[in-house]
Amino acid sequence: MRRELPPVVHEALATLHDELLPVTDGELADYIPPLAKARPDRFGLAVCTPEGGFAAAGDHDEPLTIQSISKVFTMALVLGDRGLEGLLKHVGAEPSGESFNAVSLEEGTGRPDNPMINAGAIVTCSLVKADDSTERFERILGMMSGCAGRELEVDEKVFELEFATSDRNRALGHFMRSAGSLTAEVEPTLEVYLRQCAVLVTASDLAVMAATLAAGGVNPFTDERVMSTEAARHVMTLMATCGMYDASGEWMLRVGSPAKSGVAGGVMTASPAQFGLGLFSPPLDEKGNSVRGVEACHRLAERFSWHAFALPADRQLPAALEDDDAEGA
Ligand code: GLN
């Protein structure tokens, strides 16, 4: 059941929204018109707890395409289908230290570095068990919808534009096929991958999806188990090491919770058993992460000390989240 989190959490989000709205740093992704025309002043934040506590500020109900954040959910599905060993046979688990669309395959095996970069995500898509691409995509959409607790939809226009212009991902696919790391056909696999990137979510959805991971795979509102506890742990582990691309190391230093970003300006971070946070602001830094999204997490993490490696006594967050004298919405 959804209930309001205590005022201190609402206030923290609202204050942060107002503080960071004037920030004009960062560039919009410009490889397709819908992203290039995004409004740079859009900024939404939402937090959700595994118990269904919720708070949000700004444009938290504004739709955005999920883009790379989708990689997390496809990985979870493949873990369910094939187990960790089945995934690791085809995709590595090491940070690439390079940008999200880099061409970097492991010497000897030809495996892409990890499922959070494009090369690894394309192979991961091909590993979802299904009779055809339609079913494969439906299963991925089902996983994302289960985590969001509502039926998500595809922005078909974004999908078509991505598919028509995705030369680099197409090249990655062919390169991996020649290396033997992608055994499926390139075009149908690319279609599934780009369709999953074009799924529409809001910052509120991202918070619920992250809270589902934080709850070990159970959606806080529907109580549906959408993935195993183990799968949730595995995806959060790779989010921690590889989720923010080549900024993942600094992210873990400063924020300290597993996270994933997307090129439309979405960021999602999960703190196991504590909360999920979803953010949306389109301007990106040079690593491809939302400028306001990253800064908001830096500030929140500093204030509430939720770092995964912080001593429990130093953490401010559980107290703030559990102090729920406010009544349910
Ligand atoms: N659709 C984008 C791509 O594959 C997603 C990348 C991203 O969000 N970083 O290039």
Side-chain angles (χ1 to χ4, degrees), residues 258-278:
K260 187 75 202 82
S261 66
V263 79
V267 179
M268 162 185 102
T269 186
S271 182
Q274 292 194 322
F275 67 88
L277 186 58

Side-chain angles (χ1 to χ4, degrees), residues 3 5-9 49 303-304 315-325:
R3 62 177 177 80
L5 284 168
V8 60
V9 182
T49 68
R303 169 157 178 208
F304 292 108
R315 295 187 189 189
Q316 306 295 317
L317 194 71
L321 292 180
E322 279 160 18
D323 166 36
D324 61 327
D325 29 308

Side-chain angles (χ1 to χ4, degrees), residues 84-106:
L84 184 60
E85 298 314 319
L87 175 68
L88 291 182
K89 223 162 87 188
H90 302 276
V91 188
E94 302 305 331
S96 68
E98 291 181 71
S99 66
F100 68 89
N101 56 9
V103 183
S104 60
L105 305 184
E106 189 178 60

Side-chain angles (χ1 to χ4, degrees), residues 137-157:
F137 176 70
E138 286 305 320
R139 290 197 61 219
I140 294 171
L141 185 65
M143 168 58 82
M144 288 199 248
S145 297
C147 290
R150 70 179 186 98
E151 292 302 315
L152 300 175
E153 288 172 6
V154 175
D155 185 328
E156 287 295 335
K157 178 101 186 120

Side-chain angles (χ1 to χ4, degrees), residues 14 16 32 40 93 98-99 104 115 119 167 177 207 230 243 252 264 266-267 285 289 299 302-303 307:
L16 206 52
I32 51 169
E98 291 181 71
S99 66
S104 60
D167 292 330
R177 244 179 96 87
E230 209 177 29
M252 273 313 278
V267 179
D285 62 23
N289 297 320
R299 293 192 190 186
E302 201 174 322
R303 169 157 178 208
H307 197 291

